[in-house]
Amino acid sequence: MARNMRFRDATLANQVAKRICELAGNERNVKICHVCGTHEWTITHFGLRELLPSNVEVIAGPGCPVCIVPASEIDEAVELALRGVTTICFGDILRVPGSRRSLLDAKAEGADVRVVYSIGDAVKIAKRISGETVFFAVGFETTAPSTAVEAVGKPPRNLSLLVSHRLIPPAMEIMAEMRDLGLDGFIAPGHVSTVIGLEPYRVFPEKYGMPTVVAGFEPLDVLIGIYMILKQLREGKPRLENEYTRAVRREGNAKAQQLMQKVFEVADGSWRGLGTIRFSKLTLSKEYSELDAHLRHGLKVETGVDLQPGCRCHLVIVGRIRPNECSLFMKACTPRKPVGACMVSSEGTCRIWARST
């Protein structure tokens, strides 16, 4: 606790903010993108944007793993649930809207939908019941290794996997290529980086000339990350740096990477708000195809409706607008009754902003 409080020290935070203001000066506007819901929570909850000079903007990118799941994959989970398959998921995905229903809607209609904290809990449920079960495996590289562990561990025969894991670096590259966004640097996600390490981010300074800093989640972590990016811009020497050295190693978690490579293959994947991104989705490899819910249950939902009328989640996800620039925000779309995916998860930008209003 004492260690964490050091990273929340107001005096230190103000000192770093002062250095940021000195580096930013009165020069051109700088736009920095982070890609982590926890970073957005820290920035918003602690009012870090208010400490920044007016010419330094920090926007939220596609860092909420629940928000970017396309409606078509929600529709698949809903279809299985309504067929009578016990559908097991994380709580954050329960209310994310599909084309017509959410999993919560399916549960209200009598489907057996259960919320767990981990895939390990899903395995325990499958062992207790005789019918078919499916685990809706959602998340970035942070949660994919736990799915891989259970797949290798030979789960119960009545459990299949509906895999919806995505990879962060390909989405960051799409953001970097959106020239109209005018991004100058990235704050890379700390949790993901503990698994994949630093090397996947090297493309951003080397190909796109964008300073990239892996940062932790305390206020000082974020402020120091911003300072490091501004320093690189001032020097004209974009590079990859690691602020979160207490948790992230250059090589990442080799064992987790090996498990992921064994269980999954990389394919093109659809992201809500970003469309199809090449080599951004994990699918089960041939060796583990017997666990694939698509094959076991003859499941095929090709298209879905990602946005309801008036919803601007697709623009929030890529940082083109702030949540309060959507006409539905805290009016038709609230945490109690979300219209868009960004208002559902605790890591969703709209939900974070709603809790701070």
Side-chain angles (χ1 to χ4, degrees), residues 245-264:
T245 54
R246 63 189 187 276
V248 175
R249 296 178 296 179
R250 177 169 294 278
E251 68 276 14
N253 186 322
K255 188 171 183 179
Q257 293 169 26
Q258 290 165 4
L259 278 168
M260 290 167 63
Q261 290 167 7
K262 179 179 176 62
V263 172
F264 300 118

Side-chain angles (χ1 to χ4, degrees), residues 91 256 302:
E302 294 183 349

Side-chain angles (χ1 to χ4, degrees), residues 19 22 28 49 61 127 136 157-158 171 180-181 185 199 212 221-222 257 266 290 296 306 310 324-325 340:
R19 297 291 298 277
E22 291 170 355
R28 67 180 180 87
R49 288 189 175 93
K127 288 178 177 178
F136 192 11
R157 294 181 64 85
N158 64 334
D180 58 322
L181 276 182
E199 290 305 311
T212 302
D221 287 317
V222 176
Q257 293 169 26
V266 179
E290 63 180 18
R296 185 176 298 188
D306 283 343
N324 58 6
E325 295 178 272

Side-chain angles (χ1 to χ4, degrees), residues 9-300:
D9 185 281
T11 300
L12 290 175
N14 283 318
Q15 289 174 359
V16 177
K18 182 178 179 180
R19 297 291 298 277
I20 287 172
C21 291
E22 291 170 355
L23 270 179
N26 295 316
E27 298 182 13
R28 67 180 180 87
N29 293 337
V30 173
K31 184 183 288 187
I32 298 169
C33 177
H34 72 75
V35 280
C36 178
T38 309
H39 278 150
E40 181 59 29
W41 184 88
T42 297
I43 291 166
T44 303
H45 179 78
F46 290 100
L48 299 189
R49 288 189 175 93
E50 297 177 10
L51 299 178
L52 301 178
S54 59
N55 60 333
V56 176
E57 180 182 9
V58 179
I59 68 169
C64 168
V66 167
C67 303
I68 57 85
V69 176
S72 60
E73 293 180 17
I74 303 293
D75 295 343
E76 290 175 339
V78 167
E79 181 175 329
L80 286 175
L82 293 177
R83 285 187 195 178
V85 178
T86 297
T87 303
I88 307 166
C89 65
F90 295 131
D92 274 4
I93 200 73
L94 193 64
R95 295 195 300 159
V96 174
S99 298
R100 294 179 299 278
R101 296 180 180 90
S102 66
L103 280 168
L104 185 62
D105 294 328
K107 184 177 178 68
E109 293 177 29
D112 187 3
V113 179
R114 307 191 190 190
V115 172
V116 294
Y117 290 105
S118 71
I119 185 174
D121 293 334
V123 169
K124 292 176 183 177
I125 291 172
K127 288 178 177 178
R128 291 200 303 264
I129 65 178
S130 58
E132 283 292 316
T133 62
V134 63
F135 177 67
F136 192 11
V138 173
F140 296 135
E141 294 94 332
T142 317
T143 54
S146 61
T147 303
V149 166
E150 295 297 344
V152 169
K154 297 182 179 180
R157 294 181 64 85
N158 64 334
L159 177 67
S160 59
L161 302 175
L162 185 60
V163 176
S164 188
H165 290 305
R166 296 295 193 277
L167 304 176
I168 279 286
M172 291 173 63
E173 192 156 4
I174 289 294
M175 296 281 288
E177 291 176 351
M178 293 180 180
R179 295 301 180 185
D180 58 322
L181 276 182
L183 297 183
D184 297 291
F186 277 119
I187 297 175
H191 290 145
V192 166
S193 303
T194 62
V195 175
I196 67 174
L198 302 183
E199 290 305 311
Y201 306 118
R202 191 168 295 282
V203 63
F204 302 109
E206 292 184 353
K207 180 179 178 180
Y208 298 100
M210 294 176 62
T212 302
V213 175
V214 174
F217 304 101
E218 294 295 338
L220 271 175
D221 287 317
V222 176
L223 288 171
I224 291 170
I226 294 169
Y227 173 81
M228 292 167 73
I229 288 173
L230 291 173
K231 189 170 184 291
Q232 291 185 39
L233 290 171
R234 172 66 68 87
E235 295 170 351
K237 297 179 180 178
R239 55 191 178 274
L240 173 62
E241 292 187 293
N242 181 17
E243 183 276 336
Y244 201 25
T245 54
R246 63 189 187 276
V248 175
R249 296 178 296 179
R250 177 169 294 278
E251 68 276 14
N253 186 322
K255 188 171 183 179
Q257 293 169 26
Q258 290 165 4
L259 278 168
M260 290 167 63
Q261 290 167 7
K262 179 179 176 62
V263 172
F264 300 118
E265 295 177 350
V266 179
D268 298 347
S270 177
W271 294 52
R272 193 183 297 242
L274 285 167
T276 298
I277 302 177
R278 295 190 66 199
F279 308 125
S280 67
K281 179 182 178 180
L282 296 179
T283 61
L284 289 167
S285 66
K286 182 176 288 188
E287 182 179 354
Y288 294 92
S289 60
E290 63 180 18
L291 297 174
D292 192 335
H294 297 92
L295 299 178
R296 185 176 298 188
H297 297 287
L299 187 63
K300 190 175 183 180

